[in-house]
Amino acid sequence: MTYRLEFRRYRLPFRRAVRTAHGWWREREGLVLRLEDEAGGVGFGEVAPIPWFGTETLAEVEALLGRLGGVVDAGCVEQVDERHGCLRFALSSALGREAGVPAVQRLPVAALLPAGKAACEAADQALAAGYVAFKWKVGVLDDADEWVVLDDLLARLPGHAKLRLDANGAWTARRAMRWLARCAERPIEFVEQPCYAETSQGTALERRTDDVLLGLARDYPTPIALDESVAGLPGLQAWLERGWRGVVVVKPALAGDPATVLAMLAGHQADVVFSSAFETGVGRQAALRMAFSFKGRQPRALGFGVGPLFQDGRFDGMPPVPFLELHAVNHLQVEVIWNALN
Ligand code: MG
């Protein structure tokens, strides 16, 4: 079977700029690809790289797609190197390979709370909307100020609600220890990526930071989640193989071929949060289908509480909800997004 391959590049302004370790992120760049088989069957996939997470760049993807040509066969995923996880994910989903037999029909979604004091009001609104899981960005203000907000937040949340913190690697080892000592006495679901060193900062620092993360996981009761550290398949594999028992945040859109990623996670009985990479509805549908078909440990609340993302709401595909149903995910018509990119 051969497929006709087409793709459309996009540059979509966010409704609200996203704060990252590399400054403000104002627009999402990526591409949507379309595969059509000989019988006229059509599938879509999205390439949504985040180069500062260690993924390939969009320019690299375009060059690779140019090399694959306008006609590909079902082996096209395997022709792409594992380092190009975004492209492997997109081709797999366009071939309809992202979902196995569903393991669950409904999963909670964690509401993303803004940094600083604004988190409290946002938490009240999300609670009223029915959310039971919350994620708050920390490492933005002074610790003392954030600790006041933390206790304010915890006081607002009912006992069944879960609060996770994401430092995005902003802390030094010493700051992380102070935070984890504080969290030990509080009902925090987990602390995500307390420290992080990029490969570009040198392998010595990277190794030292990995040791800090292992030490934090060993010395404090609050679970540690890895996000930036496990963005690509090689990083994820390395951490699971060294026996990491903490949480792993998996952004399917960055991780690679879904079947390979799911098998690896299940094989290690990984404790997983499936999470958004700020993709459009095309990538989000595929990422969520993957989450719903995960046969390992029951995944934690989905990290897809980010929408609406784009100024042009057509590209979000689905409204933000506190619980996602698989049938709603399957119902999403991603062809609308492809057509809107014309
Ligand atoms: Mg994170």
Side-chain angles (χ1 to χ4, degrees), residues 1 39 79 98 157 169 185 187 212 240 252 260 280 288 312 321 326:
M1 176 76 93
Q79 278 171 263
E98 77 281 23
L157 297 181
E185 299 151 8
V212 169
L240 292 176
T260 312
T280 75
L288 288 167
D312 184 336
V321 285
L326 179 58

Side-chain angles (χ1 to χ4, degrees), residues 53 135 137 166-168 192-193 226-228 249 251 275:
F53 255 71
K135 169 161 135 170
K137 294 266 179 195
D166 189 356
N168 289 109
E192 193 169 316
Q193 202 72 50
L226 300 179
D227 181 5
E228 283 84 346
V249 177
K251 294 179 163 58
S275 182

Side-chain angles (χ1 to χ4, degrees), residues 182-323:
R182 217 165 184 46
C183 290
E185 299 151 8
R186 290 168 173 78
I188 302 298
E189 184 190 8
F190 59 75
V191 172
E192 193 169 316
Q193 202 72 50
C195 312
Y196 180 59
E198 284 176 41
T199 312
S200 64
Q201 292 174 274
T203 46
L205 182 61
E206 209 181 5
R207 215 168 308 135
R208 228 170 25 244
T209 307
D210 289 355
D211 288 341
V212 169
L213 291 167
L214 289 165
L216 293 172
R218 189 189 53 226
D219 297 343
Y220 295 92
T222 307
I224 305 289
L226 300 179
D227 181 5
E228 283 84 346
S229 292
V230 297
L233 194 62
L236 179 62
Q237 185 163 17
W239 276 96
L240 292 176
E241 281 175 1
R242 79 203 299 188
W244 176 254
R245 305 307 303 152
V247 182
V248 287
V249 177
V250 175
K251 294 179 163 58
L254 311 184
D257 175 48
T260 312
V261 176
L262 288 178
M264 182 194 295
L265 293 170
H268 288 276
Q269 291 188 305
D271 186 351
V272 187
V273 176
F274 291 99
S275 182
S276 162
F278 296 85
E279 60 280 286
T280 75
V282 176
R284 198 178 307 178
Q285 182 184 53
L288 288 167
R289 278 182 173 157
M290 182 174 153
F292 277 93
S293 61
F294 180 50
K295 304 287 189 303
R297 266 160 90 157
Q298 167 92 8
R300 291 172 184 258
L302 296 164
F304 281 83
V306 292
L309 273 180
F310 301 107
Q311 280 179 22
D312 184 336
R314 287 177 301 175
F315 296 105
D316 281 297
M318 56 184 104
V321 285
F323 288 87

